[in-house]
Structure formats: C-alpha cells, structure tokens
Amino acid sequence: MNSPFRTKTVEQSIRDTEEPEHALRKSLSAWDLTVFGVGVIIGTGIFVLTGIAARNNAGPATSLAFVAAGIVCALAALCYAEFASTVPVAGSAYTFAYASIGELPAWIIGWDLVLEFALGTAVVAVGWSGYVRHLMHTNLGWDLPTTLAGPDAGGSFDLLAFLLVLVLTAILVVGTKLSARITAIVVAIKVIVVLLVIVAGLFFIKADNYTPFIPPAEPQTSGGGWTAPLVQLMFGYQPTNFGVMGIFTAASLVFFAFIGFDVVATAAEETKNPQRDMPRGILGSLIICTVLYVAVTLVVTGMQKYSEMSATAPLAEAFKSVNQPFFAGAISLGAAVGLITVCMILLLGQTRVFFAMSRDGLLPRVFSVTHPKYRTPYRATLLLGGIIAVVAGFTSLEKLAELVNIGTLFAFVVVALGVMVLRKTRPDLHRSFRTPWVPVVPILSIAASFWLMLNLPAETWLRFGIWMLIGFVVYFTYGRRSSRLGKAGADAEY
C-alpha cells in the first residue's frame, strides 16, 4: 500500500459513492447521456475549427480529417464504454486508471483531465463570444469596446466569455438534471442548425471548389508535430500542410470537435442504470455527430474555396459568400446558442473529475462535499468556475485547442491500457459491455491516439510536459501522503 502504483478496487470505488456527504444524485437516463454527448460534441469544432483546418491544413479533404479523427475516437469509445459500465463512478479516465493501473497513473490522468476540461471550457467560451460579437455587429450594429472584445479580436479581456462561464457555474450548482433539461432544448436548436447547413448548402455547392480535393503538400514553416528529427526518423515523412499527410495534421486539430463522449463517462455516477445506459450514450452520440460532421464539412468546402474560409465563423461566412445573409444569421444564432451547452458540459466534466480526486484524498477533501439540497459538488464547481471564467477572459483560441487535444489523446491512451490491465487482473468482474477484440482494439486505440499526438505542434508538447511536471510535484508533496487509500493501509478507510 506504500507503492504509488497501489490500486483502488472497483468495489471500493462503488462504496465511496454511497457515503451520504459525498454522494451524487442519480437522475440521468440513456437519453440524457446521448443528449449530453451530442450537446458537447457539436460545438466549437464544427462551428469554428472547420475553417482553420480547411484553410491551413487540408482544404476540402478536411472531411477526411473528420473521418480519421472519428475512427480514433471510435476505438477509444469502445474502451470507455466497457469501463464506464463496469466502474460507474465519477471521474472518467481518472477513476478507470485508479482501478486498473494504479494511483500515480490515475493522478497523472486526473491532473491531465483537469487541464483538458478547464481549457476546453475556456476555448468554447471564447468561440461563443466570437459568434455573439458577430451577431451584435451584423444585426444590431453594436460593438463591444476593443479592450473587452478578447485577445482574438485585438483586445485584452473577453467580457462575454467571462460572464458566460459564471452563469453556467451557477446552473451546475443547482443540479445536473436542470443542466440536462437546458441541454436538451439547446441541442435541438443546434441539430436543426446543422441540418440547415447541410440541406440549404447543397443548393450552393460549386464543383470547382473541390478542386483540388487534396491540395498539393506544403512543408510546415512553423508548428507541426515533433517535426523533422523525430517524426521523420520514426515514420519516414516530413509533416506537411495539405497533401495526404496534411489530412492527419488537420485531424489532430479537428479532433477537438469530438471531445464529448469522454465527458459523458464523467457522469456515470449520476446515471440511473449505468451498466446499460453508459455504452448507449457514449457510442450513440459519437456515431450521430461523426455523420453530421462529415456532411457539414463537404457542403461548406463546396460552397466556398477553402483558401477563403473564415477562421472564426466559417459556416456563417460560407453562406455570406453566396449572398445568403438569412442563413448566415440563422447559423450564427444557432452556433451562439449551441456553444452554451458545450461549455456547460465541459465544465460539468471538469468538476466531476476534481470531485472524484478530492473524494479519494488526492486533492483537499473539502471539495468533495456535496450540497445538502442539490447533491452537487458545489464547492469544486464554484472554485473551478471562477478560475475558468478568468482564464476564458484572456484566452487565445487556436493554441489552447491544441493543448486540449493532447490532453484528451493522452487520456485515451491510459483508458485503452487500463482495459487490457483490468481484463488480466480482474477477469471475474461483471462487464455489461465488453470492448470487442481485446487486446487488438485497445492497442489500435493507443497507436492511433499517439499518431495524432505526434502531429501536434512541438510547443504544445512543451506546455503539456510542464503541466505534467507540476502534477508530479503536487502528487509527491501532497496527494501521496493524503491519499485515503494509502493512509494506514486500505483497511483503515475501507
């Protein structure tokens, strides 16, 4: 029990959920989980990052980048579905790692998820702010003072993004079921907008815009994966923009658009029947969104030349380019409304991971106390919501999106590894959903995730490494000695 690789059994994890002071309310169904998944997946990735990826990395072949990213997510989703139904406890990959690989790996992935969801929330809030400012300017002639428009608009502080996070924090304190109801309404609006893009856009496609479908490769002049020495040495190619390999560069960016099904896993403890409903929510939301993403990307890149696409509001600008301001306005309104749920669900996932780590003693236990009336982790929610609101005020969109991606991909690697380990160490566990073809699917998930990680910029790896280093320091100075599992052996606590 003194080892940093000590594991917390599935039975111990489930017993923790029964402590009244640290228990969450079970109120979610398979429908709620699917809505959560669709609500968070359809967001910044399709409404914002599509334009960046098409213009800078893959051209019309961005649709293939979405397919590649979707395949990586599907492999990981199969692993998540097994874990979430077998270990229905808040915390997602953190909890799964604790039950299979050990405390230190669990801490690492939990620390990673804290960063992933926090920055993801900030990124989405900034994307939402951009769409709202666009609507205000276009339809009302209003403009915020430049100072309050945010870094992406040449300002210093993004007031709208800051206020959005604060409002959503208050909603999450009140309850998860309320969040689900609001999400269901907003998701309906968002899906209608996406279908509007697909159906209306079909009438404005120009075949010439698809030529060339895969633009000629260009060497990356900045950023790129672990470019020349490592990637070229390991795989024999120089990372490029455009060309076939540019599709993978784009995939590593638009991968952000699929972040969502792993957030569904964080709500396992609040699900009425997690053994049945978690796999349905995770896999169902991923399938629906992948189909919609590919269709939208094909339509939008057919409407407007990829080199002319907007980096901030590509869908709306594509309709403007064909003189359809009504559709442009409707899309901007739908995107602005839709991004609210993305931000809220990412914030929910962040607080649940933080709550689980706190309940285990790896972070101060005070943050795992739930509200006496709402049964939500209100202290963790208020703390994190306040911090993220400030971060969102000073956020630049593209760099943080890349940092979120590397954190998510790292989580995928850990979950896939955990599935293989738990199959060996606990073959007796009842698994209502079993990942097919183990260990082939988990190994493919690890390889595909690592491949996309290699296509991210070197500076992203550096920032990620610094965050992980800070995490090691926190664990060995606080988490290890405060761990409930480690105190006087497990018997004293369990």
Side-chain angles (χ1 to χ4, degrees), residues 44 115-125 256 259 342-343 346 400 404:
T44 304
L115 177 70
E116 172 197 334
F117 291 145
L119 296 187
T121 304
V123 167
V124 175
F256 180 85
I259 294 175
V342 184
C343 193
L346 284 172
L400 286 181
V404 173

Side-chain angles (χ1 to χ4, degrees), residues 4 34 50 92 129 142 183 189 193 219 230 251 267-268 311 346 368 407 434 456:
T34 302
T50 302
S92 185
S129 174
W142 296 351
T183 300
I189 297 172
V193 169
L230 184 57
L346 284 172
S368 65
R434 297 176 67 89
L456 286 167

Side-chain angles (χ1 to χ4, degrees), residues 5 17 88 93 137 202 249 275 282 292 322 359 401 426:
F5 293 93
T17 69
H137 175 78
L202 286 172
T249 303
Q275 289 75 18
I282 291 171
L292 291 176
V322 292
R359 188 167 58 186
R426 292 296 306 274

Side-chain angles (χ1 to χ4, degrees), residues 177-427:
K177 192 62 181 179
L178 173 63
S179 307
R181 289 170 181 163
I182 294 173
T183 300
I185 296 171
V186 176
V187 166
I189 297 172
K190 189 157 46 176
V191 171
I192 289 172
V193 169
V194 171
L195 293 175
L196 176 67
V197 172
I198 296 170
V199 176
L202 286 172
F203 296 95
F204 302 102
I205 290 176
K206 298 178 182 178
D208 290 346
N209 289 334
Y210 288 131
T211 305
F213 188 75
I214 302 178
E218 299 175 359
Q220 291 182 349
T221 55
S222 63
W226 278 8
T227 54
L230 184 57
V231 176
Q232 193 165 14
L233 177 64
M234 293 174 64
F235 302 104
Y237 85 97
Q238 171 72 38
T240 66
N241 291 323
F242 306 111
V244 173
M245 292 304 171
I247 295 173
F248 294 105
T249 303
S252 67
L253 176 63
V254 302
F255 174 83
F256 180 85
F258 287 93
I259 294 175
F261 69 85
D262 58 329
V263 181
V264 172
T266 67
E269 191 174 326
E270 296 161 271
T271 303
K272 297 175 184 176
N273 188 348
Q275 289 75 18
R276 180 196 67 190
D277 294 342
M278 288 306 300
R280 292 180 181 181
I282 291 171
L283 296 171
S285 57
L286 181 61
I287 292 169
I288 291 169
C289 294
T290 300
V291 173
L292 291 176
Y293 277 1
V294 173
V296 166
T297 308
L298 284 172
V299 168
V300 172
T301 53
M303 292 175 62
Q304 186 177 25
K305 194 68 176 177
Y306 70 89
S307 57
E308 300 171 0
M309 292 188 72
S310 167
T312 56
L315 274 59
E317 291 299 325
F319 277 94
K320 277 190 175 181
S321 72
V322 292
N323 299 315
Q324 296 295 321
F326 170 78
F327 290 116
I331 290 167
S332 292
L333 178 61
V337 173
L339 289 177
I340 293 174
T341 61
V342 184
C343 193
M344 180 168 64
I345 300 167
L346 284 172
L347 182 57
L348 181 145
Q350 153 82 307
T351 58
R352 273 31 177 195
V353 173
F354 197 90
F355 165 80
M357 296 174 73
S358 172
R359 188 167 58 186
D360 289 332
L362 300 181
L363 290 171
R365 288 267 287 171
V366 65
F367 294 113
S368 65
V369 175
T370 54
H371 194 282
K373 178 180 178 181
Y374 303 123
R375 309 310 302 172
T376 57
Y378 69 107
R379 293 176 179 174
T381 303
L382 291 172
L383 171 70
L384 296 169
I387 293 173
I388 295 170
V390 173
V391 172
F394 297 98
T395 292
S396 175
L397 188 68
E398 187 172 357
K399 295 301 180 185
L400 286 181
E402 292 168 348
L403 195 54
V404 173
N405 286 353
I406 195 170
T408 305
L409 289 164
F410 181 65
F412 286 3
V413 169
V414 172
V415 170
L417 181 61
V419 166
M420 293 188 290
V421 171
L422 203 61
R423 284 284 187 96
K424 290 288 186 183
T425 58
R426 292 296 306 274

Side-chain angles (χ1 to χ4, degrees), residues 69-83:
I71 291 172
V72 175
C73 290
L75 293 170
L78 292 170
C79 299
Y80 267 90
E82 175 171 325
F83 254 132

